[in-house]
Structures are given as structure tokens and as C-alpha cells.
């Protein structure tokens, strides 16, 4: 209890400092304070609450190859491992506990609407502004897109923080190409097509997708995917990018 109380005091100090410094620093830092109040710091293995679920959304792109992180609000072994990878990637103290240092970094990566600073809802929905008309409710489609964006943020960092172009995200039935499968994950809001000017660039997305929580990866050499890499969540995992074999896929 004493440890949690001390961390809570530190969290308040850090967030207040972020408010003051954020005005003259980065927009991401300032926005982060408005995005979410983390009230249960530090978040530790064994805990179960809404803050843990929100943490899982933000570190879901830091899993092992082929793994997916559940958004169940339970701080289990896989969540701890993802936090450790996140901490290592951003040169933080690696302890598997989401304390003030880790949450401050997450806040710096967050925009005012809780999307990661390098991606937006507009990028993930070039179809319509309502998120309606797909395979799920508008709220679910938008929620799925948020989870996808945080995975994309992880890929971006793994590739040196170079910009990523999203050519297609959520698509309502009216926006779906006539030859698309009715099971297309674009209809669910949890798919993103990424473009790059070279095969190497497109294959880099496919390779990093394996360790960023995506269960559906379609890329170079897969029919209809020689100009982009498709990353999505699918209950039945499927990866295919035969043209990326020489790149480690």
C-alpha cells in the first residue's frame, strides 16, 4: 500500500510537470494529460482493472512472434512480457511494471483522443466519417481501429520511426471493392493496408507484423497484394507473403 501511495504521488507530480512542460515541448506530451487519467499506478502483474486493459491496448504491438495480447484487463505473463519489450525499446528501466516512467512514455506517444501520435482515425477510415455500415457496430469498428493503430505505432518504432502510409483501413459495405470477400477484416475496422515504394519496404511491414500482434498478414507474392501489405486481426490466423521469404518472413 505504501509503495502504491508513493507511486501515486509521483504520478501526479509527473503528470503536472507534463502539463507545464507540455506547452513548450511536444504536442504529444501536452495532449497525453488530456487523453487519460491513470488512477491505479503502478500497474503490476496479478492486477485486474480497466487501467490494465487500457495498458494492453497500448503495448499489444510488443508481443513475441505469433502471439496476440488479450484485452481482458488481467495483468498476466504475456502482458508483463509485452511491457518489458516496450520498456526495452524505449530505453526505460525494464522491470515489467507499468509505473510512472512507462506511463509517461505512453502518454508522450498519445494524442488527445488516445490514438498514437503518428496515426489518426481519419487515416484508418477513408470510407466515411460515421464508422457505420460494416460488419460490426460503428463503436466496435472504431475501437478495433484504435487497437490496430497502437500496433502500427509499434511497427513504426521497430522500423526506425520512419513514416508509414496507410492506404486503406475501415471500409463499410458500400466502400468495399466488388471482388472483396465478405469476411474481409476491413469491414470490422481492424485491418490496415500499408504501402511502400519498394519490395523491401513492404516486406519489412510483413516481417514486423509477426511480432506486433497481427494474426492476418498478406503481402508480396500473395494474390492482389504486390503493391501493399495487409495487416489485420483474424480469429483464424493466416500469414502469406511468399515474395518476402528472402527478407525473413
Amino acid at each position: 500500500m505504501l509503495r502504491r501511495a508513493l507511486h501515486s504521488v509521483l504520478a501526479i507530480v509527473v503528470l503536472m510537470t507534463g502539463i507545464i512542460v507540455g506547452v513548450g515541448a511536444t504536442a504529444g506530451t501536452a495532449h497525453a494529460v488530456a487523453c487519460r487519467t491513470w488512477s491505479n499506478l503502478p500497474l503490476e502483474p496479478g492486477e485486474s482493472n480497466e487501467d490494465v486493459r487500457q495498458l494492453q491496448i497500448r503495448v499489444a504491438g510488443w508481443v513475441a512472434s505469433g502471439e496476440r495480447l488479450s484485452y481482458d484487463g488481467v495483468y498476466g505473463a504475456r502482458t508483463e512480457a509485452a511491457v518489458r519489450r516496450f520498456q526495452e525499446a524505449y530505453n526505460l528501466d525494464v522491470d515489467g511494471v507499468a509505473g510512472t516512467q512507462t506511463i509517461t512514455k505512453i502518454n508522450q506517444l498519445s494524442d488527445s483522443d488516445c490514438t498514437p501520435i503518428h496515426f489518426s482515425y481519419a487515416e484508418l477510415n477513408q470510407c466515411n466519417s460515421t464508422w457505420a455500415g460494416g460488419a460490426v457496430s460503428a463503436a466496435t469498428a472504431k475501437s478495433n481501429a484504435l487497437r490496430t493503430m497502437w500496433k502500427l505505432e509499434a511497427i513504426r518504432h521497430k522500423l526506425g520511426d520512419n513514416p508509414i502510409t496507410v492506404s486503406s483501413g475501415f471500409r463499410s459495405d458500400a466502400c468495399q471493392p466488388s471482388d472483396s470477400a465478405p469476411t474481409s477484416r476491413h469491414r470490422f475496422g481492424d485491418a490496415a493496408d500499408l504501402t511502400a515504394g519498394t519490395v523491401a519496404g513492404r516486406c519489412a511491414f510483413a516481417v514486423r507484423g509477426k511480432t506486433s500482434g497481427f494474426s492476418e498478414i498478406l503481402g508480396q507474392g500473395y494474390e492482389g497484394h504486390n503493391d501493399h501489405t495487409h495487416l489485420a486481426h483474424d480469429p483464424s490466423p493466416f500469414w502469406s507473403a511468399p515474395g518476402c521469404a528472402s527478407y525473413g518472413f
Side-chain angles (χ1 to χ4, degrees), residues 157-239:
H157 190 63
K158 293 171 187 178
L159 292 176
D161 283 315
N162 294 310
I164 291 177
T165 300
V166 179
S167 60
S168 184
F170 168 73
R171 297 198 297 250
S172 69
D173 292 344
C175 294
Q176 280 282 85
S178 58
D179 59 348
S180 292
T183 56
S184 169
R185 298 309 301 182
H186 288 284
R187 300 177 64 242
F188 293 80
D190 54 17
D193 292 346
L194 312 182
T195 59
T198 64
V199 172
R202 294 190 292 275
C203 287
F205 297 145
V207 171
R208 296 309 186 280
K210 287 183 174 183
T211 59
S212 300
F214 288 103
S215 56
E216 182 174 86
I217 304 173
L218 306 175
Q220 200 73 27
Y222 185 80
E223 183 179 1
H225 290 74
N226 284 331
D227 62 349
H228 69 278
T229 299
H230 169 89
L231 302 174
H233 166 77
D234 194 313
S236 300
F238 181 70
W239 297 347

Side-chain angles (χ1 to χ4, degrees), residues 108-164:
Q108 290 171 351
L109 294 171
S110 302
D111 215 331
S112 58
D113 58 359
C114 289
T115 59
I117 54 176
H118 298 111
F119 298 92
S120 69
Y121 283 118
E123 285 180 281
L124 269 290
N125 181 2
Q126 300 169 28
C127 172
N128 64 57
S129 60
T130 67
W131 296 87
V136 292
S137 70
T140 297
K142 192 172 183 179
S143 176
N144 288 343
L146 179 65
R147 297 174 180 184
T148 298
M149 281 187 273
W150 277 102
K151 294 178 182 179
L152 294 179
E153 184 70 30
I155 290 180
R156 191 183 192 279
H157 190 63
K158 293 171 187 178
L159 292 176
D161 283 315
N162 294 310
I164 291 177

Side-chain angles (χ1 to χ4, degrees), residues 1-39:
M1 294 297 291
L2 178 60
R3 182 185 178 192
R4 182 175 293 280
L6 290 173
H7 275 277
S8 297
V9 171
L10 286 172
I12 294 172
V13 171
V14 169
L15 292 177
M16 288 181 67
T17 302
I19 294 173
I20 296 171
V21 175
V23 174
T26 65
T29 304
H31 286 171
V33 178
C35 166
R36 177 171 181 78
T37 299
W38 301 84
S39 57

Side-chain angles (χ1 to χ4, degrees), residues 60-93:
W62 296 96
V63 292
S65 181
E67 285 186 349
R68 261 80 61 192
L69 196 61
S70 296
Y71 304 106
D72 58 5
V74 178
Y75 206 126
R78 191 166 289 186
T79 298
E80 179 183 358
V83 169
R84 287 181 178 275
R85 293 188 187 93
F86 175 89
Q87 291 169 331
E88 183 175 8
Y90 286 98
N91 299 312
L92 308 178
D93 294 336

